[in-house]
Amino acid sequence: MNALQEQKRARDLSAEDRAQIIRRLEFGASLTEDLVMDMARGSVVLDFRRRRFVYRAGEPADCLYAIIHGRIKLCRIETDTGREAVIDILPEGSLFGESALYSAAGQRANSAIAYENSRLLRIQAGDFKRGMAEDDRLHDYTFRLIGQRLEHAERRLADFALNAIPARLDRLLEEFSMRYGVSEPEGVLIDIPLPHREIASIVGSTRESVTVRLNAMRREGTIAFVRRRILIKRPASL
């Protein structure tokens, strides 16, 4: 899209604008023009401000979302206490809400929250399923995505069962340095704000314990804090 189109408000985007967005997404790059246009006509572009819910657990699972700009946090929130367990923080380009394709209950099991101001493409589950039936590449892409998400969840469960908090934190920093890392003269900068509260929700700890561990790593010279981000000064030590 050109600069003028990118500045448009979500509600001002035409079907052709949405088609251009789909073509730029990973799953849309190989789709036929007819399928892209069919999906674009039934899709909607939505803007979400930081910390706003895209959907909540228990709501109908009837659509999928692709991240055009921004990042989205997937999480479980305990109803009685409000305690949050972060499942993942998804980057730009990611497809999520895939439970709409297979949920027997037809409801969301997790919540999705805008981690920062984000723009999303919403695709109805029926349109996406028709696309999967018509195009083997979309079918294969979707099942690979579901498989990757399942493997990620299994690794997290094993990590929780087998490793103490320091090892979980090391693994998280290593993973995020690969997903969000930017090379700097002094190391690798994880280019996403990671408040200690969010890290604690991901690794299954308390904010206080995470703070103690991160400060120890800073004193050891393994990490540094730069503009609310974490710089891995010695990636090989994780």
Side-chain angles (χ1 to χ4, degrees):
M1 297 176 69
N2 60 38
L4 178 61
Q5 287 173 317
E6 289 180 340
Q7 293 171 5
K8 287 184 177 180
R9 295 174 297 178
R11 66 171 177 265
D12 294 333
L13 296 178
S14 66
E16 178 54 35
D17 292 332
R18 297 193 297 273
Q20 289 192 46
I21 290 170
I22 293 171
R23 294 185 194 106
R24 293 170 57 191
L25 294 168
E26 184 177 292
F27 74 85
S30 63
L31 300 182
T32 65
E33 189 61 22
D34 287 345
L35 184 52
V36 167
M37 289 308 303
D38 285 346
M39 200 171 286
R41 281 190 283 268
S43 66
V44 178
V45 173
L46 302 168
D47 289 324
F48 289 87
R49 297 185 66 181
R50 178 173 175 260
R51 296 181 179 175
R52 294 295 178 88
F53 279 85
V54 179
Y55 55 75
R56 299 173 187 265
E59 292 183 351
D62 54 7
C63 58
L64 295 86
Y65 294 86
I67 306 174
I68 304 169
H69 298 301
R71 296 182 176 102
I72 297 295
K73 176 172 66 175
L74 303 180
C75 59
R76 291 272 181 118
I77 302 174
E78 193 174 61
T79 304
D80 295 337
T81 65
R83 291 175 59 195
E84 179 182 278
V86 176
I87 297 167
D88 204 355
I89 299 173
L90 301 177
E92 182 175 305
S94 297
L95 184 71
F96 68 98
E98 68 277 6
S99 62
L101 301 175
Y102 59 77
S103 172
Q107 295 182 335
R108 302 290 186 189
N110 304 320
S111 296
I113 301 172
Y115 196 71
E116 57 193 27
N117 291 346
S118 301
R119 173 165 285 194
L120 307 178
L121 179 75
R122 185 177 71 193
I123 305 169
Q124 292 301 313
D127 293 342
F128 201 91
K129 288 178 179 178
R130 282 192 293 274
M132 290 174 64
E134 294 175 15
D135 193 308
D136 289 342
R137 289 166 296 187
L138 182 60
H139 181 278
D140 293 345
Y141 171 87
T142 306
F143 272 83
R144 284 197 304 273
L145 174 69
I146 293 172
Q148 290 165 1
R149 298 267 165 88
L150 179 60
E151 289 176 358
H152 180 266
E154 290 174 344
R155 286 196 301 271
R156 289 282 304 279
L157 284 173
D159 204 23
F160 275 44
L162 301 175
N163 294 316
I165 299 302
R168 294 184 209 168
L169 183 54
D170 288 353
R171 191 181 299 273
L172 175 70
L173 295 180
E174 179 183 16
E175 176 189 342
F176 274 33
S177 67
M178 290 188 291
R179 293 174 65 182
Y180 299 113
V182 176
S183 294
E184 298 280 347
E186 295 184 356
V188 177
L189 180 70
I190 300 176
D191 193 23
I192 177 174
L194 283 174
H196 295 187
R197 179 189 67 257
E198 297 285 3
I199 296 174
S201 295
I202 298 173
V203 301
S205 181
T206 63
R207 182 182 60 80
E208 292 78 11
S209 295
V210 166
T211 298
V212 168
R213 175 58 181 164
L214 289 175
N215 284 337
M217 295 175 75
R218 178 179 54 81
R219 289 192 297 270
E220 294 164 0
T222 305
I223 67 170
F225 300 120
V226 180
R227 302 185 303 276
R228 296 180 62 235
R229 288 159 169 78
I230 297 175
L231 176 71
I232 311 296
K233 301 176 72 174
R234 299 205 308 263
S237 65
L238 295 177

